[in-house]
Each structure stands twice: as structure tokens, then as C-alpha cells.
Amino acid sequence: MEFKQERQTFWVSNSSKKIKISVLTPEIIRIFEDHGETGNSYAIEGNKEIKTKVEVEQSKKQIIIRTAALHLKVDEDLHIDVFNEKDQPLIQDYLGKRIPLDREINSEQKKLAEEEGHQIASDQKGSQILVIKKLAQDEQFYGLGDKTGFLNKRGYEYDNWNTDNPEPHVESFTKLYKSIPFLIGMKNGLPYGLFFDNSYKSHFDLGKENSNYYFYSAVQGNLDYYVIGGKDLKEVVSNYTYLTGRVPLPQKWTLGYQQSRWSYSVSQKEVQQIADKLRENDLPCDVIHLDIDYMDGYRAFTWRKDNYQDPKKFVQKMRKEGFRIMPIIDPGVKLDKNYPIYQEGIKKGYFVKNPDGSVYVNKVWPGDAVYPDFGRKEVRDWWAKNVKYLVDIGTCGVWNDMNEPASFNGALPDDIAFSDGKQRSTHAKMHNVYGHNMDKATYEGLKKYSGKRPYVITRAAYAGTQKYSTVWTGDNQSLWGHLQMLIPQMCNLGMSGFAFAGTDIGGFGADTTSELLIRWLEAAIFSPLLRNHASVGTRAQEPWSFGQPTLEIYRKYLKLRYHLISYLYDNFYQETKTGLPIMRPLVLNFPKDRKVRTLNDEFMVGDDLLVAPVVTEGQTERAVYLPKGDWLDFWTGSEYAGNTSILVKAGLDKLPLFIEKNTILPWDESSNHIDPKKNDVITFRLFGDHGNYIHYQDDGEDFAYQNGQFNLYKITISQKNTVELTNFGYNCPYKKVVLLSENGRQEFIFDQRDKIYKLA
Ligand code: GLC
């Protein structure tokens, strides 16, 4: 075994292979084996290496590399075992061989079954990259982005290949729209992360094939993975988001309610009607989405002229009424010789090509369409320039769809020529980062031309896309099973870095019911992206569609959401520092509690709120598990000691919601939309008899906060209630702060001269 060291990087080789081990931080170590693939990572930007103390111990049979957090041992055969600082095992190579499942099928039977439409799983035997790790009896898995199924991924297999499949997404689905090859494990209660940075099609088998091992395989590319440590799950998520980036602070109004349907956008008149109804019915709402029909023949960056007199004036009018307009954009560019975007793209050679050099054509909404080659910087810059068209009209962001990329005329062949930066590459390599690159281009265009924090929503993503875009989980359906899946799906997205996510409330496909719509809104009311969206041809699911009492309950929850916008925004401020999601599984906050490691039907909001939605038809009470601590029923104030399950009554209008005792929450005034300029008064509510809270304030829209233009407030409620301005960069502090506690109401007035809050 040969060994070479250069500062924090190590090369270890034997007669058959060579691996490179790079220590980036005490908790992050990269393991790399060259399989001839070139090009940079799409997930990781910039140099993440920080100077780290590393101890090396070398014997004939073993090399041990130790940081303050991780011990990595390499044997003569270059097997790698990773331990925590106490030398307890986290990740260990499995020394045996894979034994693929015996599916008891011969090739003739396979052919027949497939003819009827059955899908027979692949045994992954052809993969060039294979990593097999030992699986302990007590080991759970989380992460992997938007995959279907349950919170704990153990016992299932998944593929990373961005896929648009409108069939109902159930737990046998191995792939959806996003590829986030980041796995979090808890082995005997000890957390670790494994991030496989390879954009080719890849696969995880998490103990389905065999309960003694789990494996990762990829069809091609290098073996390039990161082991990630941390003293608890939260630290693992923080370290992973340090590596691949965090969701940047959003504009504050993006946390408001959003109304959508394919396709109000057919006409200005229809959009206006929706806006009017929202206001007439006293429903807070900030954004109305325009689906594909606002475009002229589904041509990106155009606006139909027949049903819109003047899009800019219309968007301005909506803005005055408190609504922002979010248009959809699809990457497939209509093949139309008279369409300037197509003409320019052809002239400059911006579209992906067949191996023979001709432009590749498939079919999406506009009919025959071509695909921008987003892996090239000049193509991204061109796309960003086109985004200016929408910024000039005054839209509030861009909703990127169909960017897996979707194709109606069969899948794009693997060998279609895509670019990877300046190098020629293939669809096989660039497929999973296609949406990522489109989102990055969109983000940059919005930032450059609007100067505001970009609001991008995307369907397809790769690890790291969280830096550029919010995500939604695509075309779910109005099914109770999909409402149930929302909780683990959002929680795993959050643990995979995607703190800003949401589902189509009410369900996109199929017909919703009044009960399903209400329960969906209740379950989703804390998801950062709060949007009701439905497909053409389904029954209406706007809040008023089912009359009373649906409307009234819907309104009640939207009002609750609007009281808590500042709370969610504060959570985003914290997230930019820690990478921790807003909506979280209980296991993230209580990793030592075995009962929550596989809990699928409760979640937490930040550190304070516990939410236990009803997700089954007809149910009007449910068991709620409360972890250790003292909990208050948010609605009644009743107190419960945790570490036990309680039975809670939950009629249709009740979302079981608990708050940890002695918590302070900001409590915004009622409003029908979020106006970041309204910054005169803020109220804080105490739940319990004392508490502390850090509140963040800035202008809620641009990048001035990066130059210190923000305020931090420290609120303490005890015998001696105080409001302290601990950081003072933003020049519009609240004139008045109100504290509401059991002892009544106290008002504090800002004293301009002394820059402090004084009891009124
Ligand atoms: C896709 C999207 C959906 C959208 C539809 C039409 O199915 O996922 O949200 O409404 O396309 O644009």
C-alpha cells in the first residue's frame, strides 16, 4: 500500500487502485477515485476546504486519518471505515459481495410482463460505480430529497434520474423530479451523512436487497463522495448545507398564500376574477400564478395578445390590489422559424444537438421544441437576459417547470450532445443538472434585472439547487395517500437542504373533496411555499369552491399563517446561518428519542411548534406523540408533559398544534397581503410564563441586509420584561413593540435619541 500526503490531502494506492482523500473540514472528508470523468461539481461551488488539524497514523496494514470529529481507516485493499471521534463506527465498507434479489423471472416472462405495462426492477448489475456499506440492525436513513414513501428510507430502493411521471406517486415509485444523492444515516443512534456527487443516473438500495448492507451505484462517472459527521443530526445537515449551499433569505412576501390553477391565465379577465374573489371572501393572498396559457402559443418569454390588453399595466394593477404575478416558464423552445428566441438560439448554436450535429427536436407544450444547452455559461447568460422581459413587465419571479427535461416524444437518448461547461458532454451526464442550470440562469437574470432577492420555483433539481430556487413536489394528486406523503416528503427535502418547499395544496391531478382540501391546507399551513394548484380538467378547488363551512375554515388557517409570517421569516434568517429547515421531522430536534425515528405523521416548525395534522378521511381525533418537554395546546392553552402520546379531538376545523411551554412568537397583525414596508409595530406573544426570542427585521426584499442593513431584537419576558435592539443596521426600527403575556399587554416605544425601547 502506498501513501502520499500533501497538507490535508492524501493519496492511498495499492496494485489495483488509487484513492484520494481530502479533508475539507473536521467534519467533511471527500473520497475520490478517478474513473476518467472530467468537469466540475454542480452541487458545490467555490473552495470549501478550511485549514484543519489532521493526525495520521500509518502501519503496514492500515492508515488512520484523524480529525477532531472523524477517524477514517483505510486497509490494504483500500476499504474505508469511518468512525466518530469516540471511535464508534459510522460508515464501514461491506466486505462481501452483493447478492441481487432473486425475482424469479426469466427473460421471456419479463418481456410478457412488460408488454402489459408492468415494470420489472433492474438489478443494477451494469453499473460502473458501486459502493457497498455495512448495515446495522439499528440504522435509519433520511434525506434523498423528494423521494416518495416514508420518513425512514430503510428497506427501499431509489433512482436518481429526474423524471416527470404523472401517475400517482406512491412508495413503489423509485424516482421523481429531483436528484439529491444525499443520504443521512443514524447508526445505533449516531448520525452521519454521505453525499455522492455524480450527476449520472444512480441508485440507492437501502437494505432492501439485503439487511446486512446498503449500496450506492452509478452507471458512469467518478466515484466521488463526501462523508459528513456532526455531533447530532442538526450538525450533519448544517455541514452538508455548508458544502452545497443554503437557501438564501427570501423576499418576505414569498411566505404568503399563493393561488394557482392551470389555467386562469388564459385571460386577464379570469385572473382578475380570481383576485376579486380572494378579496371579496377576505382571504389573504400575495401571489397569483400564471400557468402556460398566458404565453403566445406556449412560446417562452412571450405574452398572448388576444386576452391581455397590456400585460405590464395589468401586472401593475394587480400589484396595487396587493397581488404579485408569478409566470411559468418551460425550457422547451418552440420550433418556429418566426420566433425570435428560436431564431437567436439557432443562430448562436445554443440548443442541444444530435450526435450528427443537427439540432435535437422533441415535443413539449408548444409542439416540436428544442432544448437550450444550459450547461454552457453563454447559454445561461442568454436565458438570464430573456428573463428581463418578465422583469420589465413587473412579474414577481419565475416558476420553472418541465425542466427534468420533460419530453412527450419519448425520452431523450443518452448520447444527445449537451455541454458540461466548455466541454462536450452527453444527456446521460447533464440530465440531472438540467433543471439546476436553468434555475441558476433564472436566478441570475432576476437578480441582475430586478435587484431583488430572486423568487424562482422549480420542479427539477440537483443537490445544491437550493441556492437558486424554491421547489414544489410536482404533480401530486387529490389522494389521501398524497396528503399523508406530504409530511415525510417535505421533511426529507428539508433535511436535504431544501428548506423552501411546498406541495400543490388540494392535490394537482384528480378531483379533491371539501374534506381533503381542508385537511391538506391544515397539514401544509407551515410549509414555506403555500400554494393551492390544480390541473385543467379537475374540479375547482379554490377556497370558495365548496361553499361554507369549507371557506370559513380555509380563511381561519390563512389568517393563522399571516399571523406567523414574521415567525417563518425569522426561521429563514436562522436557516441562512445553520441550513436547518423550517418544517422538520421530530427526529431532527429529538434524535435520542427512538419513538420519533420513524414517525411519519407529525412534524415540527423550527424548534417551537409541533404539528400533528389529521391525514385520514373521516377521522376526528388522533393520537399525538409529544416528545420530552412541556407542551401547550395552541388553541386551548392546556398543558401536557411530554414523552407520551395523548388523544386529541380534531374536528374538521382543528389542526392539532402544540407549542413548547415558555416560547415567544412574533404575532403579525391581520392583513390581506404582506407589505414589507409596514414596519411600525410588532407584537410578541408569550406561551407560558417566561421566554426569550431573537427577531430579525430588514426591508424584506433586496440585498441591503448583506451590508448590515438589518436589525436584531432580543425579547425577554420574565419578571423584568425587556426589548433589546442587539444589532442596529436597518434604519427603520419598529416604533412600537407590544408584548402579550398572561400578565396582560405591555407596550415599548422606540426612543430615537438613545436607540432603545422604553416601556410606554
Ligand atoms: C406540469 C406542471 C404543472 C403545470 C402543468 C402545465 O404538469 O407540473 O404544475 O400546471 O405542467 O403547465
Side-chain angles (χ1 to χ4, degrees):
M1 173 162 60
E2 280 193 43
F3 174 73
K4 207 175 88 190
Q5 174 175 7
E6 214 173 88
R7 288 190 290 267
Q8 298 172 208
T9 305
F10 307 84
W11 286 264
V12 194
S13 56
N14 62 18
S15 54
S16 58
K17 62 178 182 178
K18 180 175 181 181
I19 52 175
K20 181 177 164 189
I21 298 168
S22 319
V23 174
L24 301 188
T25 76
E27 288 97 15
I28 307 178
I29 302 179
R30 179 184 187 190
I31 293 159
F32 181 85
E33 191 184 274
D34 196 347
H35 286 245
E37 191 65 48
T38 52
N40 295 326
S41 167
Y42 283 92
I44 304 167
E45 294 182 22
N47 180 9
K48 295 292 172 181
E49 185 175 307
I50 57 176
K51 203 166 168 222
T52 302
K53 200 170 148 233
V54 187
E55 278 172 19
V56 184
E57 192 184 310
Q58 195 184 354
S59 69
K60 249 180 121 187
K61 295 207 147 142
Q62 182 175 250
I63 287 156
I64 308 180
I65 295 168
R66 287 195 186 91
T67 70
L70 295 172
H71 299 171
L72 196 132
K73 305 184 185 175
V74 188
D75 75 8
E76 291 169 299
D77 297 320
L78 307 195
H79 293 125
I80 296 174
D81 293 336
V82 184
F83 303 80
N84 68 7
E85 81 290 352
K86 290 191 194 127
D87 236 11
Q88 294 164 304
L90 299 176
I91 308 163
Q92 293 175 289
D93 274 352
Y94 179 74
L95 302 187
K97 280 208 160 60
R98 267 191 64 198
I99 309 168
L101 279 180
D102 180 4
R103 293 188 181 272
E104 298 182 356
I105 192 167
N106 62 35
S107 52
E108 199 181 312
Q109 292 164 330
K110 183 166 184 272
K111 215 176 122 219
L112 260 184
E114 282 173 349
E115 263 169 32
E116 203 202 352
H118 298 281
Q119 281 192 7
I120 308 299
S122 137
D123 61 14
Q124 311 299 324
K125 273 201 210 132
S127 302
Q128 288 186 19
I129 301 295
L130 177 65
V131 182
I132 317 181
K133 304 286 184 192
K134 274 190 204 164
L135 182 57
Q137 239 173 30
D138 178 9
E139 191 157 1
Q140 299 80 35
F141 294 111
Y142 310 106
L144 299 187
D146 65 343
K147 302 295 186 239
T148 59
F150 303 96
L151 182 69
N152 175 14
K153 298 292 177 209
R154 183 180 177 135
Y156 289 87
E157 63 179 326
Y158 299 98
D159 290 300
N160 295 302
W161 185 254
N162 293 356
T163 299
D164 170 28
N165 183 346
E167 295 290 311
H169 306 154
V170 292
E171 68 262 32
S172 58
F173 253 55
T174 59
K175 51 190 184 291
L176 278 177
Y177 308 92
K178 304 170 184 68
S179 292
I180 321 295
F182 172 52
L183 182 68
I184 301 177
M186 277 257 273
K187 198 199 229 19
N188 302 314
L190 304 173
Y192 63 85
L194 268 172
F195 170 48
F196 293 89
D197 195 6
N198 178 329
S199 63
Y200 285 95
K201 186 185 270 174
S202 63
H203 184 83
F204 284 101
D205 182 303
L206 303 175
K208 173 176 176 173
E209 181 169 289
N210 194 302
S211 55
N212 294 320
Y213 61 75
Y214 62 99
F215 75 86
Y216 162 86
S217 63
V219 296
Q220 229 179 302
N222 297 322
L223 172 63
D224 190 355
Y225 70 98
Y226 296 77
V227 303
I228 300 175
K231 69 173 188 309
D232 52 25
L233 275 180
K234 283 184 173 174
E235 275 195 14
V236 171
V237 173
S238 278
N239 288 325
Y240 169 72
T241 52
Y242 162 79
L243 187 66
T244 60
R246 294 183 178 142
V247 175
L249 204 61
Q251 294 195 59
K252 198 169 182 181
W253 55 262
T254 60
L255 302 174
Y257 176 65
Q258 323 204 0
Q259 185 63 50
S260 184
R261 178 178 171 87
W262 177 22
S263 216
Y264 305 140
S265 62
V266 152
S267 71
Q268 162 173 340
K269 203 169 125 218
E270 223 175 289
V271 182
Q272 181 72 59
Q273 275 167 1
I274 295 297
D276 294 346
K277 282 239 174 180
L278 284 158
R279 292 295 177 250
E280 269 163 36
N281 286 302
D282 185 22
L283 294 159
C285 178
D286 271 85
V287 184
I288 298 178
H289 290 247
L290 301 192
D291 211 313
I292 47 177
D293 294 281
Y294 80 91
M295 289 181 263
D296 173 14
Y298 312 122
R299 291 171 187 83
F301 308 114
T302 66
W303 210 294
R304 69 189 301 158
K305 297 210 170 58
D306 52 354
N307 296 337
Y308 287 84
Q309 282 98 50
D310 182 339
K312 190 168 178 173
K313 270 206 191 125
F314 177 61
V315 171
Q316 271 169 3
K317 177 165 185 281
M318 287 282 102
R319 192 68 208 87
K320 282 205 191 97
E321 294 173 21
F323 296 101
R324 297 173 199 255
I325 295 294
M326 182 77 166
I328 199 168
I329 286 286
D330 298 321
V333 168
K334 186 175 174 69
L335 193 162
D336 168 5
K337 297 204 167 64
N338 300 315
Y339 168 35
I341 306 269
Y342 174 78
Q343 288 167 343
E344 191 183 354
I346 287 288
K347 201 168 117 212
K348 300 200 166 137
Y350 285 166
F351 301 124
V352 303
K353 301 203 167 79
N354 289 302
D356 68 7
S358 57
V359 171
Y360 174 76
V361 182
N362 202 310
K363 196 174 153 207
V364 211
W365 304 122
D368 281 351
V370 295
Y371 295 83
D373 190 9
F374 288 121
R376 280 157 66 190
K377 183 166 185 310
E378 65 269 36
V379 178
R380 288 198 298 275
D381 290 347
W382 171 63
W383 200 257
K385 240 183 12 218
N386 285 313
V387 166
K388 183 170 185 297
Y389 168 79
L390 295 171
V391 173
D392 289 346
I393 287 177
T395 67
C396 67
V398 178
W399 163 23
N400 282 342
D401 190 22
M402 310 299 275
N403 50 355
E404 293 70 33
S407 51
F408 298 166
N409 258 343
L412 279 72
D414 279 354
D415 63 353
I416 297 301
F418 281 62
S419 305
D420 177 7
K422 292 199 164 103
Q423 329 183 65
R424 191 183 159 130
S425 185
T426 58
H427 175 237
K429 179 171 184 188
M430 300 308 289
H431 177 87
N432 282 339
V433 292
Y434 193 76
H436 175 91
N437 284 325
M438 179 192 186
D439 300 331
K440 184 171 174 174
T442 309
Y443 177 95
E444 274 155 14
L446 284 172
K447 182 170 181 183
K448 182 162 175 194
Y449 299 109
S450 75
K452 307 264 169 68
R453 303 171 205 166
Y455 184 37
V456 185
I457 304 181
T458 186
R459 196 169 71 173
Y462 182 65
T465 307
Q466 69 268 17
K467 298 187 283 284
Y468 302 112
S469 185
T470 302
V471 296
W472 99 104
T473 55
D475 298 348
N476 58 14
Q477 299 207 11
S478 303
L479 303 171
W480 287 90
H482 278 185
L483 168 58
Q484 286 149 17
M485 187 174 72
L486 168 168
I487 300 170
Q489 199 177 23
M490 290 289 294
C491 286
N492 277 316
L493 269 166
M495 296 227 280
S496 315
F498 288 81
F500 202 157
T503 58
D504 283 348
I505 291 167
F508 175 77
D511 293 338
T512 199
T513 65
S514 136
E515 187 185 353
L516 180 59
L517 178 64
I518 290 175
R519 291 305 195 189
W520 206 308
L521 183 71
E522 289 174 1
I525 203 67
F526 294 104
S527 60
L529 172 62
L530 185 70
R531 183 181 75 160
N532 175 333
H533 180 51
S535 176
V536 279
T538 60
R539 79 179 287 177
Q541 62 183 47
E542 288 72 31
W544 50 84
S545 305
F546 293 91
Q548 301 288 9
T550 312
L551 172 62
E552 202 175 310
I553 303 173
Y554 207 102
R555 184 187 302 123
K556 166 178 162 182
Y557 283 95
L558 291 190
K559 297 225 170 208
L560 173 69
R561 168 78 171 210
Y562 275 68
H563 282 305
L564 289 168
I565 296 292
S566 290
Y567 175 64
L568 295 173
Y569 194 58
D570 284 341
N571 268 283
F572 268 106
Y573 166 73
Q574 300 293 350
E575 178 276 335
T576 62
K577 310 278 167 207
T578 62
L580 296 177
I582 318 310
M583 207 171 142
R584 336 178 155 162
L586 269 68
V587 69
L588 190 60
N589 289 355
F590 302 93
K592 294 219 163 71
D593 186 339
R594 286 180 172 275
K595 293 212 187 81
V596 302
R597 290 184 189 159
T598 55
L599 189 62
N600 290 296
D601 61 356
E602 296 180 21
F603 64 90
M604 296 214 52
V605 184
D607 283 326
D608 313 307
L609 295 172
L610 187 148
V611 192
V614 170
V615 290
T616 305
E617 188 179 55
Q619 202 174 321
T620 52
E621 57 180 21
R622 62 158 288 176
V624 176
Y625 177 70
L626 298 171
K628 80 166 196 292
D630 294 319
W631 299 90
L632 302 176
D633 181 313
F634 179 82
W635 306 106
T636 64
S638 305
E639 194 172 331
Y640 299 91
N643 222 345
T644 186
S645 290
I646 58 170
L647 191 66
V648 178
K649 291 240 171 316
L652 192 55
D653 67 341
K654 186 169 167 202
L655 166 69
L657 178 59
F658 295 84
I659 182 161
E660 189 147 27
K661 193 179 169 188
N662 301 325
T663 294
I664 297 175
L665 295 184
W667 192 253
D668 295 337
E669 276 172 34
S670 280
S671 60
N672 65 15
H673 73 283
I674 297 158
D675 181 357
K677 301 232 151 50
K678 257 173 106 191
N679 253 338
D680 280 356
V681 186
I682 189 156
T683 302
F684 295 94
R685 264 178 83 174
L686 174 69
F687 294 79
D689 49 37
H690 67 275
N692 290 304
Y693 187 77
I694 302 285
H695 171 63
Y696 174 84
Q697 177 198 30
D698 66 10
D699 70 15
E701 42 178 46
D702 60 26
F703 289 90
Y705 74 96
Q706 292 183 345
N707 302 318
Q709 288 282 307
F710 63 88
N711 297 329
L712 279 180
Y713 300 81
K714 196 173 156 207
I715 320 299
T716 311
I717 308 186
S718 55
Q719 278 112 343
K720 224 178 118 199
N721 301 349
T722 54
V723 173
E724 224 181 286
L725 198 50
T726 54
N727 187 307
F728 184 45
Y730 177 57
N731 255 324
C732 316
Y734 302 109
K735 294 198 179 98
K736 187 159 90 185
V737 175
V738 181
L739 303 187
L740 297 178
S741 69
E742 278 173 357
N743 302 328
R745 175 189 172 100
Q746 278 185 313
E747 292 190 358
F748 294 78
I749 304 294
F750 188 64
D751 181 317
Q752 268 298 342
R753 216 191 36 212
D754 297 345
K755 308 260 180 268
I756 55 168
Y757 282 87
K758 292 184 176 160
L759 203 58

